[in-house]
Amino acid sequence: MTQEAIGRQLRSTVKKEGILELSLARVPTPEPKPDEVVVRIDATPINPSDLGLMLAGADMSAAKVSGSPQDPVVTAPIPPAALRSIAGRIDQPLPVGNEGAGVVVRAGSSDEARALVGKTVAILGGAMYAQFRTIKASQCLVLPPGTAAAEGASCFVNPLTALGMVETMRAEGHAGLVHTAAASNLGQMLVKICVKDGIPLVNVVRRQEHVDLLKGLGAKHVLTSGTTFMDELIEALAATGATLAFDAIGGGKLASQVLSCMEAAANRTAGGYSRYGSTKHKQVYIYGGLDRGPTELTRNFGMAWGIGGWLLTTFLQKIGPAAAQKLRERVAAEIKTTFASRYDKEVSLAEALRLEEIAVYGKQATGQKYLINPNKGLGR
Amino acid sequence: MTQEAIGRQLRSTVKKEGILELSLARVPTPEPKPDEVVVRIDATPINPSDLGLMLAGADMSAAKVSGSPQDPVVTAPIPPAALRSIAGRIDQPLPVGNEGAGVVVRAGSSDEARALVGKTVAILGGAMYAQFRTIKASQCLVLPPGTAAAEGASCFVNPLTALGMVETMRAEGHAGLVHTAAASNLGQMLVKICVKDGIPLVNVVRRQEHVDLLKGLGAKHVLTSGTTFMDELIEALAATGATLAFDAIGGGKLASQVLSCMEAAANRTAGGYSRYGSTKHKQVYIYGGLDRGPTELTRNFGMAWGIGGWLLTTFLQKIGPAAAQKLRERVAAEIKTTFASRYDKEVSLAEALRLEEIAVYGKQATGQKYLINPNKGLGR
């Protein structure tokens, strides 16, 4: 029996009593089929998009831990309102982790699979918070020689989302972008892409210190909320012509304010009064939910507007496999520059379940980015 | 000088002091160019889409009238918040009235124009609350013989909007429609179109008596708000598969509720839990603003959703002139059946400016539909 026959895997279970349970299961690693490989996951990031599945809307301030330090079990109550929307996952232990990177330690019989043995690859597909992951060889993105797993751990979610924003802008005929919560790991990538590709970008950040961070990357327009926010936003929108925004916040009035300011900017150059507002279509896509509260729209932005959800997987399906592969290849080629991620802390699977760590990464704040190394501290 | 050389025209002016002024101007009727005709307007409806321009958000409960019964001048204060959004029209006397019908009384020199003399035509293009309207011959829709002007007065706004909803549904790949404020003149047309064309339609109405009205036209699904509203809506959406809604209300929680119920209906047939919700795109278009207040979205409907403005003119531009003409011809052919409008009261231009009439039609309530006859009571 090989060392990868059994591995630890982080599981998130919603009990029907309304309790979230996080634990480390010991699971058999599936034998690779001819076209599959087994990857030893050495690095997997905690992204905001992982936390929804992992924490299930539970009240983590009331979480408790039991078990041993090497084998912790975390439980936390889930408010009834949150429970209703996740009824479909009750009593199913779900694996977590969208993406990761590591070394191919075993392969199926196909040439394509066997060629990957020993290579460091990046993979996307869930269940990455685990020591081992069996996956199709065709889903592995081989990292350039000299790239560590930690450097390639975030090859998909943030890089492809940032590239997806730019591609969506082009496909829908907009001249520039607005991005909120723009100091995030993803936001920093978007700044670098837009600087490189010459795309007008308006960044809205939550804290003053983030202004310097993004300006240091070459961002021209970086705004924080405050008394002059709306005026500054109108100026930036008039200067850039941006009529498409990607919003990570979701709740509150920000999306509405962005549309109002786009309308005000458009009306500066409009030829005379139109009671239906400017004819230029103004769009906000909500791709995150840092604020889970209601979105409030004050409809003072004419009739040519839209708000909607934006999801990476839907976008990739829409553009098709060939276009998606082109984006992935750009990510691999620029993984140490445009798409470099910085992590504030590396933890093992067991450490990721410490309440004091959850309290930090659960905030989803810039400057508190975590990387899990599922094979750390196991004495291998 | 012909009798149509000078005509009365309703004007709406926003004074910079924040006062709305409605009056009847005496304006010279423009001489028809070779390709133009002069139409004597005998019937022009008061649609919700006219009232925004006409009343300019003024507080009509504080309106005053001066002048003579034949020559009234109505003034009313505009709240500061409403005034900001209409800064572009200050001190410009604007004509009102999107559509109307009447007899061609004079024509330019072209054959096309001269062929229309004496014909009853329907026209769209603003400034219809007037005795006469000079307009391109090509913009005239000749009504079938035996059709009175009153019968053809509403050939465009409501009929084309209702047809536009159905065409939008087809173009965007939805299987059925939801319509709110569905007992309106427009809503009744939509019911008749959907019955005739076999399109699943869910009607949401504001009052119990409207249920019978729409069921009498053949509607299958008619819901009123109430304690079981959400459950009934989910049932109707599951039965119809409708994932596209047209909302005339705009403000409040209704649009959000419709999306939530669409998601619940979609999840009945979904294969297992997905944390991003159902993959079927759910869309609400806001085409009216009966509630001018904020739209509140509780985002419990996954990621495949959109909300946006919908405007008839934008839709017609998108489908192009040939497709638009086809829709217009259907309206003319079915003007006494599918697209028949019922009016509760006919008034002259001067009567339309009586405060007691404004108080009634200003409510935009079903059963209080007004028709203006600009040539009524002028002793012609």
Side-chain angles (χ1 to χ4, degrees), chain A residues 5-262:
Chain A
I6 300 275
R8 300 249 218 150
Q9 184 186 64
L10 194 150
R11 293 279 183 91
S12 169
T13 312
V14 171
K15 309 270 186 179
K16 64 173 178 298
E17 301 78 22
I19 301 292
L20 167 73
E21 186 185 282
L22 300 172
S23 62
L24 300 180
R26 274 176 180 74
V27 297
T29 304
E31 274 297 295
K33 292 182 191 134
D35 61 345
E36 290 180 338
V37 297
V38 177
V39 179
R40 186 190 73 221
I41 308 288
D42 293 323
T44 170
I46 302 181
N47 286 322
S49 53
D50 297 309
L51 290 172
L53 182 66
M54 179 173 165
L55 303 183
D59 176 8
M60 298 311 291
S61 69
K64 293 193 175 122
V65 67
S66 60
S68 69
Q70 282 308 307
D71 230 343
V73 176
V74 174
T75 54
I78 302 174
L83 197 59
R84 253 196 308 280
S85 67
I86 53 174
R89 57 170 285 190
I90 281 183
D91 287 339
Q92 301 168 40
L94 298 178
V96 187
N98 282 313
E99 63 182 338
V103 175
V104 174
V105 292
R106 209 165 160 206
S109 57
S110 74
D111 289 347
E112 191 197 2
R114 291 172 61 187
L116 292 176
V117 173
K119 296 254 165 73
T120 300
V121 297
I123 51 181
L124 173 75
M128 297 296 166
Y129 295 174
Q131 283 181 265
F132 301 100
R133 177 72 159 83
T134 303
I135 196 164
K136 287 212 162 128
S138 61
Q139 285 185 261
C140 294
L141 183 68
V142 177
L143 293 170
T147 309
E151 291 174 309
S154 296
C155 264
F156 298 97
V157 178
N158 285 337
L160 292 179
T161 300
L163 287 171
M165 292 174 178
V166 171
E167 293 303 313
T168 300
M169 179 201 82
R170 289 182 177 131
E172 299 185 4
H174 297 274
L177 285 169
V178 179
H179 189 217
T180 72
S184 66
N185 195 283
L186 163 60
Q188 295 175 41
M189 288 180 191
L190 185 63
V191 167
K192 289 186 273 182
I193 295 168
C194 289
V195 167
K196 196 164 182 179
D197 294 8
I199 293 161
L201 172 68
V202 178
N203 299 279
V204 179
V205 297
R206 291 163 287 176
R207 291 161 66 180
Q208 186 55 40
E209 68 235 48
H210 298 158
V211 176
D212 300 333
L213 173 67
L214 294 191
K215 292 214 161 168
L217 297 174
K220 262 192 197 155
H221 304 279
V222 191
L223 314 177
T224 48
S225 57
T227 49
T228 59
F229 172 64
M230 298 284 279
D231 292 333
E232 287 173 40
L233 184 52
I234 293 168
E235 290 303 324
L237 292 168
T240 56
T243 46
L244 174 62
F246 282 87
D247 177 35
I249 312 285
K253 300 184 177 189
L254 185 55
S256 186
Q257 289 173 331
V258 169
L259 288 171
S260 301
C261 291
M262 284 177 178

Side-chain angles (χ1 to χ4, degrees), chain B residues 100-102 119-122 140-153 155 331-332 335:
Chain B
K119 296 255 166 69
T120 300
V121 297
C140 294
L141 184 67
V142 177
L143 294 169
T147 309
E151 291 174 309
C155 265
V331 175
I335 191 65

Side-chain angles (χ1 to χ4, degrees), chain A residues 98 293 295 297 299 305 307 309, chain B residues 275 293 295 297 299 305 307 309:
Chain A
N98 282 313
T295 311
L297 307 177
R299 304 183 320 286
W305 63 276
I307 294 197
Chain B
R275 69 191 135 137
T295 311
L297 307 177
R299 305 184 318 286
W305 63 277
I307 294 196

Side-chain angles (χ1 to χ4, degrees), chain B residues 186-224:
Chain B
L186 164 61
Q188 295 175 43
M189 289 181 191
L190 185 63
V191 167
K192 289 187 273 184
I193 295 169
C194 289
V195 167
K196 196 164 182 177
D197 295 8
I199 294 162
L201 172 68
V202 178
N203 299 278
V204 179
V205 298
R206 289 162 289 175
R207 292 162 63 180
Q208 185 55 40
E209 69 235 49
H210 298 158
V211 176
D212 300 333
L213 172 68
L214 294 191
K215 292 214 162 168
L217 297 173
K220 264 192 195 153
H221 303 280
V222 191
L223 314 176
T224 49

